């Protein structure tokens, strides 16, 4: 009998979901709100962490924002394959963002959208985001549901976890400060948006 580590099971789970992962009009409309909250402009660069099949490039396209560089990262090769079908020009890398991530040039924005519940090692997210950003760049953790809305959604679908799906604000604030970020803002009304800026040198 083959045994799988939790990470391997996670990869298998998302690989299996990729083919049927539909970026509906509604999900693209919600992603547009996040892209607008992020504030990315044409020509700027974006690292889309845990990109899935490409709801963020779909939102950028709808908003007619053409980034100077767009890199999609995901732990699931099948998710990235689906993303490249829709967006053949997208740069993609199959990586686990809970491992140290080194990139050769800095980004203006690092975004983790609708994926924070899947990350356990929050410290590594901040280490990787800080390393990946230009000074003054923005790191955003966003979700299409509010903190409470996501908990209620999980209860409805019978999903239970020992962790909070969206980590407590105070934990995110402390990690941001420890890892060289300032200008921290948190919105939790229509969507959840935690945003911080890499301190300029
Ligand atoms: C719920 S999906 C969201 C995908 C996309 N952001 C969206 O909104 O449609 C979560 C994504 O996180 C990815 N993921 C989970 N753990 C990851 C990790 N450690 N590193 C990179 N990606 C990861 C999964 O493969 C999956 O594509």
């Amino acid at each position: 009998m083959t045994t799988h580590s939790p990470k391997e099971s996670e990869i298998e789970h998302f690989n299996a979901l990729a083919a049927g992962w539909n970026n509906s009009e509604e999900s693209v409309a919600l992603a547009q709100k996040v892209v607008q909250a992020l504030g990315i402009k044409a020509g700027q660069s974006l690292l889309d962490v845990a990109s899935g099949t490409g709801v963020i490039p779909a939102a950028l396209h709808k908003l007619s924002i053409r980034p100077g560089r767009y890199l999609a990262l995901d732990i699931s090769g099948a998710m990235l394959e689906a993303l490249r079908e829709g967006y053949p020009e997208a740069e993609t890398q199959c990586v686990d963002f809970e491992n140290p991530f080194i990139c050769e040039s800095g980004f203006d924005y690092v975004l983790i959208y609708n994926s924070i519940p899947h990350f356990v090692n929050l410290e590594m997210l901040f280490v990787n985001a800080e390393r990946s950003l230009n000074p003054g760049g923005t790191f955003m953790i966003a979700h299409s549901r509010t903190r409470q809305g996501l908990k209620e959604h999980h209860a409805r679908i019978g999903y239970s976890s020992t962790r909070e799906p969206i980590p407590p604000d105070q934990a995110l604030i402390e990690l941001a400060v420890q890892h060289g970020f300032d200008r921290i803002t948190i919105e939790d009304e229509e969507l959840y948006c935690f945003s911080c800026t890499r301190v300029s040198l």
Side-chain angles (χ1 to χ4, degrees), residues 4-199:
H4 291 292
S5 68
K7 207 54 115 174
E8 285 167 337
S9 303
E10 178 98 341
I11 295 169
E12 272 190 7
H13 170 74
F14 282 109
N15 279 345
L17 288 179
W21 197 280
N22 170 25
N23 292 321
S24 64
E25 268 187 37
E26 191 194 352
S27 61
V28 176
L30 287 167
Q32 281 176 241
K33 292 187 182 182
V34 168
V35 166
Q36 282 167 324
L38 193 64
I40 183 169
K41 306 271 184 307
Q44 292 186 306
S45 52
L46 171 63
L47 179 62
D48 181 10
V49 177
S51 61
T53 60
V55 74
I56 293 297
L60 288 165
H61 180 76
K62 274 259 173 189
L63 292 165
S64 305
I65 300 170
R66 205 188 162 96
R69 183 177 180 202
Y70 169 81
L71 172 59
L73 300 186
D74 204 284
I75 201 169
S76 156
M79 285 281 181
L80 292 175
E81 211 177 296
L83 184 147
R84 286 191 302 270
E85 273 171 28
Y87 303 93
E89 70 288 0
E91 238 185 284
T92 60
Q93 271 187 46
C94 192
V95 297
D96 177 353
F97 206 65
E98 289 187 304
N99 288 333
F101 176 72
I102 312 287
C103 61
E104 67 293 348
S105 67
F107 286 83
D108 298 310
Y109 297 92
V110 173
L111 174 65
I112 299 182
Y113 177 56
N114 273 0
S115 302
I116 193 64
H118 303 286
F119 289 99
V120 179
N121 186 349
L122 300 180
E123 174 126 38
M124 190 51 76
L125 300 186
F126 280 84
V127 169
N128 283 338
E130 196 270 342
R131 276 192 195 143
S132 307
L133 282 167
N134 293 321
T138 298
F139 176 36
M140 180 180 278
I141 296 171
H143 208 285
S144 56
R145 295 176 197 269
T146 60
R147 177 189 296 286
Q148 187 55 26
L150 185 55
K151 279 189 195 166
E152 288 167 9
H153 172 68
H154 282 176
R156 272 197 302 276
I157 62 171
Y159 174 82
S160 74
S161 164
T162 50
R163 283 178 290 120
E164 289 277 310
I166 295 178
D169 289 341
Q170 197 50 37
L172 295 176
I173 292 168
E174 282 170 20
L175 283 165
V177 172
Q178 279 163 23
H179 291 283
F181 291 93
D182 64 4
R183 289 160 59 192
I184 299 167
T185 64
I186 300 174
E187 296 282 333
D188 192 18
E189 279 171 18
E190 194 187 356
L191 310 160
Y192 180 85
C193 271
F194 170 94
S195 163
C196 56
T197 301
R198 185 181 156 189
V199 172

